Amino acid sequence: MYPDLVHLGGADKYVEEILEIVNTIKLFGDFTDEEVRYLCSYMQCYAAPRDCQLLTEGDAGDYLLLILTGEVNVIKDIPTKGIQTIAKVSAGAIIGEMSLVDGLPRSASCVTSLPTDFAVLTRDSLYQLLANMPKLGNKVLVRLLQLLTARFRESSDRFLPKTLGELI
């Protein structure tokens, strides 16, 4: 599906590097090293060159990406404005979580602007995690919910009027 990607293997091979990144991510701030190690056993890692499309707006998606190195542009086709870069994300960012959770098509495209390594968590792997280690699986779900609500609040603050008077 993505011929430019290089499969690097299971994320459990990169636990030390992932621990360094995860420890800087507020989202995973209270995960123990053991929990991160266990979560890594459910993820795969890939490398992508510059200008590689990782996610495509409108496509079905059942996985999220944890950016380990590099940089990714989040791009959206905005009516009347065309294709716009709406965010740049780097190591520690999570992308694709909305489609993982709700099963709806991707809301934006993501293209690497630098060579980028990332870990993938699929919906099936998340379900396996929930079945095998419910406490950790639920902790991941709560963190994803927190990420989604934070992004919703940020979008609301950015695009919606602050007061009722601004609506009139």
Side-chain angles (χ1 to χ4, degrees):
M1 184 171 180
Y2 294 97
D4 292 338
L5 297 183
V6 175
H7 184 240
L8 300 174
D12 49 345
K13 294 180 186 176
Y14 304 95
V15 169
E16 296 309 315
E17 293 89 341
I18 292 171
L19 276 169
E20 284 181 35
I21 293 165
V22 166
N23 287 332
T24 67
I25 304 171
K26 182 178 168 187
L27 181 71
F28 294 110
D30 65 341
F31 278 50
T32 67
D33 288 359
E34 186 62 30
E35 288 172 327
V36 173
R37 287 179 202 286
Y38 198 78
L39 179 58
C40 284
S41 71
Y42 287 85
M43 301 172 79
Q44 294 291 310
C45 289
Y46 295 86
R50 184 175 193 261
D51 296 323
C52 180
Q53 187 145 343
L54 301 179
L55 305 176
T56 303
E57 185 174 357
D59 279 3
D62 64 349
Y63 57 91
L64 64 74
L65 309 179
L66 169 60
I67 305 302
L68 303 174
T69 65
E71 186 177 79
V72 177
N73 291 325
V74 180
I75 300 165
K76 183 141 183 77
D77 189 359
I78 300 173
T80 72
K81 292 188 177 185
I83 305 293
Q84 301 283 313
T85 298
I86 58 172
K88 288 183 182 283
V89 299
S90 56
I94 294 174
I95 57 177
E97 73 286 345
M98 286 176 33
S99 290
L100 171 78
V101 171
D102 67 16
L104 295 175
R106 302 279 184 200
S107 62
S109 296
C110 294
V111 179
T112 59
S113 55
L114 296 171
T116 300
D117 295 340
F118 57 93
V120 177
L121 178 66
T122 66
R123 185 178 300 125
D124 285 343
S125 291
L126 181 57
Y127 288 159
Q128 289 174 9
L129 177 63
L130 284 161
N132 297 335
M133 187 91 165
K135 185 176 176 184
L136 178 58
N138 283 312
K139 195 172 184 179
V140 170
L141 285 177
V142 167
R143 295 306 178 264
L144 289 175
L145 183 58
Q146 290 171 334
L147 175 63
L148 288 166
T149 57
R151 289 197 178 154
F152 177 75
R153 286 179 188 274
E154 180 184 315
S155 294
S156 295
D157 290 346
R158 205 156 116 201
F159 297 111
L160 295 177
K162 300 278 188 241
T163 66
L164 185 58
E166 293 178 45
L167 288 172
I168 305 174

